[in-house]
Amino acid sequence: MKYGHFDDSAKEYVITDPRTPNPWINYLGNEDFFSLISNTCGGYSFYKDAKLLRLTRYRYNNVPADSNGRYYFIKDGETVWNPGWQPTQTELDFYECHHGLGYSRFHSKKNEVEADLTAFVPLHETCEINRLRLKNTGSEPKQLTLYSYVEFCFWNAVDDSTNFQRNLSLGEVEVKDSVIYHKTEYRERRNHFAYYCVNRPIDGFDTDRDAFLGAYGTIQNPKAVRENISGQTMASGGAVIGSHRIVLNLAPGEEQSLIFILGYAENPEEEKWEALNVINKKPALQTIQKFADEKTVDQALADLNDYWNQLLSRYTITCSDEKLARMVNIWNQYQCMVTFNMSRSASYFESGTGRGMGFRDSCQDLLGFVHLIPERARGRILDIAATQMEDGSAYHQYQPLTKRGNMDIGSGFNDDPLWLIAATAAYIRETGDLSILDEEVDFDNNPTKKDSLLEHLKRSFNYTLTHLGPHSLPLIGRADWNDCLNLNCFSKEPGESFQTTGPSEGPVAESVFIAGMFVKYGAEYAHLQELLGNRLEVKRARKAVEEMTEAILKDGWDGEWFLRAYDASGEKVGSSENEEGKIFIEPQGFCVLAGVGVENGYAQKALDSVHRHLETKYGIMLQQPAYQTYHLNLGEISSYPPGYKENAGIFCHNNPWVSIAETVIGRGNQAFEIYRKTCPAYIEDISEIHRTEPYVYSQMIAGADAPKHGEAKNSWLTGTAAWTFVNVSPYILGIRPDYSGLLIDPCLPDSLDGFTARRIWRGCEFEIEVRRADRSNGEQAGTFVDGAKIDGSLVEPDGKQKLHVLKLL
Ligand code: GLC
Ligand code: GLC
């Protein structure tokens, strides 16, 4: 069942039924000011940091779901309705929510009134604009009263939802003309405030939430709206809202437009005040004036559209499979940009108050956006590297505002260091900018301890080699990519961390997954050293990679598939000898994509085993059989009910590894089948089962052991976005940046005869055409550049601005 449809020409998903299984959201904002917005106008806004500088309140886990938001109540006689259906839930005559790139538009109708609400954050501005157009489509004049509504958050979202003894005595506002200023805590240590305004005179306002809602009132049926009168209340302590009251008289056929702005403004310390305890409103008024008329708003929307079209035009394809094209051209790249902006901070599953930036998460996200914003990727790599420790290990997380490592969780996740090589290599493959390797970068954010980025990579590489276990495989530490495989932890008490309790970093537990990573990114490291002409280091690195490959083939092979690990007692994990958790997905995907076992047939065997034991109609499960009980020696993985999360859920992030692995052994049909199974556009028809947005990836889909097999959770902020893009673009479609050229090496399913692509790479526009050779007409496979056949598949631009590449399969 579907709740809407894609509109590819507008690059939108159009929701036509507000009762989606979950709120289906979108992100507004590109730089500093961000908003989450759902298909019913729910969500919240923040400036830079979703925890520390939150403008509006949101209640996670609320009933009914998804409140608060930016709400517009339209009172038309006795009927009260909202353009986004919530919160009144008044049945609409027509409803559509268009989620587009950086904007959301609500189009609805009720009793011959048409509403058209567009919400977006203009480029380079720190505000959200809501343009609301109301039209009388009937033949009689209409008098409507409009009430706007936002509820302000007292900046620190954690304090705001916990420290009530203080909060309830803090709230302060000012109201001037049509602008409501939220200035809680401005009197002392803050020099920023929020404002909410509309571009016309108002007929009343409220800023005191309890007065607006009434005693024990609800946002579904606020007293002020019911009684059709605003109280001109000035919040003092208590909860602070912004609500404007506007009476509109609409002649038949008449349309009026209102521009609301929810903004963030700050003043230099010396210019904080206009008079005693009166805030200096200048920075807000500048923005308000700028967007007072339709023209600037239209222009800002057009600029935003241009920005996205420009960005996405760096990589586009056309092909007969419209779902593939829409994911590659629009939604997958869009989601990669959202993960760049948000990391794992704010979604409808991540509360914006928890984790900072993950070291490994951020490195992997980069694989998905480096081709879009290489300059910003460069800065991101240097920021991440600066949190690395001198011994090559890494803080598992760092704080986005301070860019410092997070002490609470510390280091010891032994896959982390290698991801830095992955990110840096991807950046250099994209840009050719080797100078990044010379950048001097702190260790542990300490400027007295710095060295070149190349040295950082060397320490990443060495970290694995200095942390090998009894089988010469890498020690796992607190966990590897699978945060929940905690082989050194033994946590027994509720509430204890699964990763940081107990010894955490033992001398025995080893990870075959990290071994596969080492083969992949160790080779990448050797390649970089080769480009720099450091022959001895190349030799050393290649030898270490060879030895690791041998160690995997010897002690990391279980007979039909790759082992997952050895636990702290040296017992096998992910082996046919185990009763539960016999086979895991991660080492099959990563060892094979690194090339391990391709020659001796292990690779194919391992992938066949994945197919046999782990594949379901909704994707590949993380392991099987699921753990039925808690295993002290394995940790958090066995804490989840069977079928969920790392305990045999379909953890979408690692499905592309297997799909890539299939391309490595040349099985295009299998690769595509795996890609398709978790790809949102292909499962739009089962939205009632899948439940999350059909335009973006989710972290997890419930596995076969779960009663709700096929149900997804945790949409948007997941490494799945980056990895599926890596899967489909450089591997299935085979447009793969190499150090000196673009490799054109597709591995297509039989269902796809070919495709064309446009790819900007190092300033050269590649026009790529891939199709099957017409052998009956004497055509042969090969790569042709501007008409001339080349040897192999590597196309070097040689200073050209435009190239036409024909690839015959
Ligand atoms: C989450 C984490 C990621 C981890 C994965 C598997 O997505 O953000 O770092 O690799 O779970 O446990
Ligand atoms: C939990 C989750 C895992 C995630 C981790 C992040 O362990 O199960 O998926 O990576 O939290 O800290």
Side-chain angles (χ1 to χ4, degrees):
M1 181 181 165
K2 300 204 294 181
Y3 296 82
H5 57 265
F6 287 93
D7 178 347
D8 293 339
S9 61
K11 301 193 174 76
E12 290 176 345
Y13 191 80
V14 183
I15 300 161
T16 49
D17 178 352
R19 289 178 183 81
T20 48
N22 278 313
W24 285 358
I25 72 164
N26 193 13
Y27 284 85
L28 315 178
N30 290 293
E31 248 165 315
D32 292 331
F33 189 100
F34 295 99
S35 300
L36 282 65
I37 185 164
S38 73
N39 61 306
T40 61
C41 268
Y44 60 92
S45 305
F46 60 90
Y47 176 74
K48 284 192 179 169
D49 186 308
K51 175 180 173 190
L52 299 176
L53 291 172
R54 199 178 289 200
L55 269 82
T56 48
R57 260 185 201 158
Y58 187 79
R59 293 186 184 81
Y60 280 90
N61 213 358
N62 200 29
V63 182
D66 193 23
S67 80
N68 269 324
R70 64 294 276 153
Y71 293 139
Y72 297 93
F73 297 87
I74 299 165
K75 189 167 171 89
D76 178 5
E78 283 313 299
T79 308
V80 180
W81 59 285
N82 305 96
W85 182 66
Q86 284 247 70
T88 58
Q89 300 189 2
T90 300
E91 229 31 74
L92 298 169
D93 299 338
F94 180 86
Y95 159 92
E96 273 182 1
C97 162
H98 297 232
H99 282 320
L101 306 184
Y103 68 90
S104 291
R105 184 173 153 231
F106 301 82
H107 186 198
S108 47
K109 295 179 192 165
K110 182 74 188 173
N111 297 350
E112 305 195 311
V113 175
E114 196 173 326
D116 184 341
L117 171 67
T118 304
F120 71 106
V121 173
L123 296 171
H124 321 301
E125 301 287 344
T126 60
C127 66
E128 178 184 319
I129 292 186
N130 291 176
R131 184 186 59 200
L132 176 61
R133 289 178 170 154
L134 291 172
K135 183 172 183 179
N136 177 359
T137 58
S139 50
E140 298 294 317
K142 282 258 187 198
Q143 184 171 81
L144 309 174
T145 318
L146 177 71
Y147 293 85
S148 65
Y149 183 88
V150 298
E151 181 177 356
F152 291 106
C153 179
F154 293 178
W155 304 112
N156 181 323
V158 173
D159 284 355
D160 185 70
S161 58
T162 50
N163 195 3
F164 302 106
Q165 60 79 26
R166 174 172 158 85
N167 294 344
L168 290 171
S169 299
L170 281 186
E172 285 191 289
V173 292
E174 285 178 38
V175 180
K176 184 142 194 274
D177 304 325
S178 303
V179 192
I180 294 164
Y181 298 89
H182 174 230
K183 60 170 186 176
T184 299
E185 286 201 338
Y186 189 81
R187 76 170 45 243
E188 15 88 49
R189 292 166 303 181
R190 295 187 187 273
N191 60 352
H192 50 255
F193 58 92
Y195 58 92
Y196 185 45
C197 66
V198 58
N199 66 338
R200 66 162 69 192
I202 53 178
D203 303 293
F205 64 88
D206 270 301
T207 66
D208 180 320
R209 186 191 67 194
D210 296 348
F212 181 81
L213 298 180
Y216 294 88
T218 67
I219 188 66
Q220 284 73 38
N221 183 16
K223 175 169 180 266
V225 180
R226 193 169 59 237
E227 295 180 356
N228 207 4
I229 183 85
S230 290
Q232 282 60 259
T233 51
M234 295 296 285
S236 172
V240 182
I241 60 160
S243 174
H244 307 92
R245 176 178 193 268
I246 298 155
V247 178
L248 292 155
N249 286 299
L250 294 174
E254 185 185 350
E255 178 179 89
Q256 291 192 26
S257 167
L258 301 98
I259 297 162
F260 291 87
I261 304 175
L262 172 69
Y264 168 93
E266 60 189 31
N267 282 316
E269 190 60 34
E270 331 69 74
E271 294 167 26
K272 247 177 107 162
W273 305 105
E274 195 174 289
L276 182 66
N277 283 336
V278 179
I279 49 182
N280 171 10
K281 306 179 176 61
K282 228 191 264 156
L285 291 173
Q286 275 166 4
T287 310
I288 293 171
Q289 269 146 23
K290 187 166 174 186
F291 293 108
D293 70 284
E294 285 282 304
K295 263 213 212 120
T296 18
V297 171
D298 281 339
Q299 188 56 50
L301 250 178
D303 291 347
L304 184 66
N305 265 319
D306 284 352
Y307 166 82
W308 278 108
N309 286 332
Q310 200 71 50
L311 199 63
L312 298 188
S313 73
R314 299 177 69 95
Y315 191 127
T316 55
I317 65 164
T318 58
C319 65
S320 55
D321 182 338
E322 66 168 7
K323 294 178 177 136
L324 177 65
R326 85 165 50 112
M327 287 311 298
V328 172
N329 293 339
I330 308 170
W331 295 100
N332 199 347
Q333 298 197 69
Y334 183 56
Q335 188 177 358
C336 287
M337 284 302 295
V338 171
T339 62
F340 166 73
N341 285 325
M342 295 289 131
S343 186
R344 302 293 172 273
S345 78
S347 73
Y348 268 30
F349 299 83
E350 300 279 8
S351 63
T353 60
R355 323 191 232 169
M357 313 269 289
F359 190 97
R360 81 157 83 87
D361 293 343
S362 300
C363 286
Q364 290 173 87
D365 288 348
L366 193 136
L367 308 178
F369 64 72
V370 63
H371 68 291
L372 294 171
I373 44 166
E375 328 70 41
R376 296 176 81 183
R378 190 180 205 273
R380 179 64 61 85
I381 290 171
L382 299 176
D383 284 348
I384 299 172
T387 67
Q388 187 178 27
M389 319 261 194
E390 276 181 297
D391 70 351
S393 65
Y395 281 105
H396 193 48
Q397 291 167 2
Y398 70 99
Q399 299 312 121
L401 271 186
T402 61
K403 297 182 178 171
R404 285 179 174 273
N406 177 343
M407 281 298 191
D408 300 342
I409 183 126
S411 78
F413 293 76
N414 286 351
D415 62 316
D416 276 339
L418 292 172
W419 292 114
L420 186 62
I421 301 178
T424 308
Y427 169 77
I428 296 174
R429 281 170 178 266
E430 183 63 35
T431 60
D433 172 22
L434 282 169
S435 78
I436 191 175
L437 296 172
D438 298 330
E439 290 283 347
E440 292 279 304
V441 186
D442 293 352
F443 283 103
D444 196 2
N445 296 107
N446 181 344
T448 67
K449 298 189 258 173
K450 54 160 90 182
D451 214 318
S452 66
L453 180 64
L454 183 66
E455 179 62 25
H456 280 258
L457 300 190
K458 186 174 183 179
R459 300 213 189 161
S460 284
F461 181 83
N462 287 346
Y463 183 83
T464 303
L465 293 180
T466 52
H467 292 76
L468 296 178
H471 303 90
S472 300
L473 293 165
L475 293 173
I476 196 168
R478 295 174 196 274
D480 60 20
W481 172 86
N482 188 332
D483 272 333
C484 298
L485 192 60
N486 313 122
L487 304 181
N488 292 307
C489 197
F490 321 119
S491 168
K492 270 187 174 157
E493 296 301 320
E496 268 177 3
S497 158
F498 287 105
Q499 283 88 24
T500 59
T501 310
S504 282
E505 298 175 52
V508 174
E510 298 170 298
S511 161
V512 178
F513 170 77
I514 301 180
M517 268 190 89
F518 184 82
V519 172
K520 171 82 181 159
Y521 298 121
E524 200 69 275
Y525 169 73
H527 206 144
L528 287 172
Q529 290 288 4
E530 192 174 35
L531 294 175
L532 301 172
N534 300 330
R535 265 186 290 155
L536 283 179
E537 186 62 0
V538 177
K539 220 170 139 196
R540 178 181 83 98
R542 295 227 160 108
K543 184 157 169 280
V545 167
E546 249 165 57
E547 285 167 4
M548 189 66 79
T549 308
E550 279 159 26
I552 299 175
L553 294 175
K554 179 164 172 283
D555 290 315
W557 180 251
D558 192 55
E560 294 290 320
W561 55 77
F562 292 100
L563 268 182
R564 179 62 176 89
Y566 288 93
D567 72 11
S569 331
E571 298 294 329
K572 292 176 182 171
V573 179
S575 159
S576 57
E577 295 167 19
N578 299 121
E579 271 180 30
E580 298 176 331
K582 287 174 187 286
I583 171 171
F584 279 67
I585 190 173
E586 304 101 312
Q588 324 312 328
F590 233 90
C591 289
V592 178
L593 77 78
V596 181
V598 173
E599 274 171 24
N600 71 358
Y602 284 7
Q604 183 168 336
K605 246 189 191 171
L607 297 182
D608 288 344
S609 296
V610 168
H611 181 64
R612 199 167 319 120
H613 300 289
L614 297 178
E615 198 162 343
T616 75
K617 63 177 169 177
Y618 300 125
I620 304 172
M621 295 178 287
L622 195 143
Q623 101 278 14
Q624 276 292 297
Y627 296 110
Q628 300 293 332
T629 57
Y630 181 55
H631 295 246
L632 195 60
N633 62 324
L634 302 176
E636 186 171 358
I637 188 168
S638 54
S639 74
Y640 288 107
Y644 291 105
K645 294 280 280 184
E646 283 87 343
N647 190 12
I650 297 160
F651 214 94
C652 300
H653 186 136
N654 52 36
N655 276 235
W657 298 342
V658 178
S659 181
I660 294 169
E662 290 285 1
T663 69
V664 167
I665 62 164
R667 300 201 298 200
N669 285 337
Q670 277 90 332
F672 196 75
E673 181 66 4
I674 295 165
Y675 169 76
R676 195 189 53 75
K677 278 184 174 168
T678 56
C679 185
Y682 292 89
I683 45 183
E684 186 194 8
D685 289 342
I686 55 153
S687 287
E688 80 286 6
I689 297 172
H690 188 69
R691 296 178 70 86
T692 52
E693 296 90 334
Y695 39 93
V696 290
Y697 284 93
S698 296
Q699 181 201 57
M700 201 269 309
I701 298 171
D705 300 279
K708 296 182 176 175
H709 185 31
E711 178 181 358
K713 308 259 172 73
N714 204 354
S715 53
W716 285 97
L717 304 184
T718 161
T720 313
W723 271 108
T724 47
F725 193 72
V726 172
N727 178 20
V728 71
S729 159
Y731 289 94
I732 293 178
L733 300 175
I735 304 178
R736 188 147 74 242
D738 208 326
Y739 289 102
S740 65
L742 204 54
L743 199 68
I744 312 295
D745 183 24
C747 183
L748 301 184
D750 295 339
S751 60
L752 205 63
D753 274 336
F755 64 93
T756 67
R758 178 179 180 274
R759 170 75 153 93
I760 308 287
W761 187 72
R762 300 195 189 171
C764 177
E765 181 184 343
F766 282 75
E767 258 180 29
I768 301 162
E769 185 188 344
V770 175
R771 61 178 173 83
R772 303 196 192 274
D774 183 357
R775 292 188 166 76
S776 62
N777 267 328
E779 270 186 353
Q780 284 181 2
T783 310
F784 303 81
V785 180
D786 287 337
K789 190 166 195 299
I790 61 164
D791 288 338
S793 305
L794 187 70
V795 183
E796 300 186 341
D798 284 332
K800 298 224 181 58
Q801 304 224 306
K802 197 167 176 158
L803 279 182
H804 182 271
V805 183
L806 171 66
K807 178 88 186 178
L808 295 179
L809 302 174

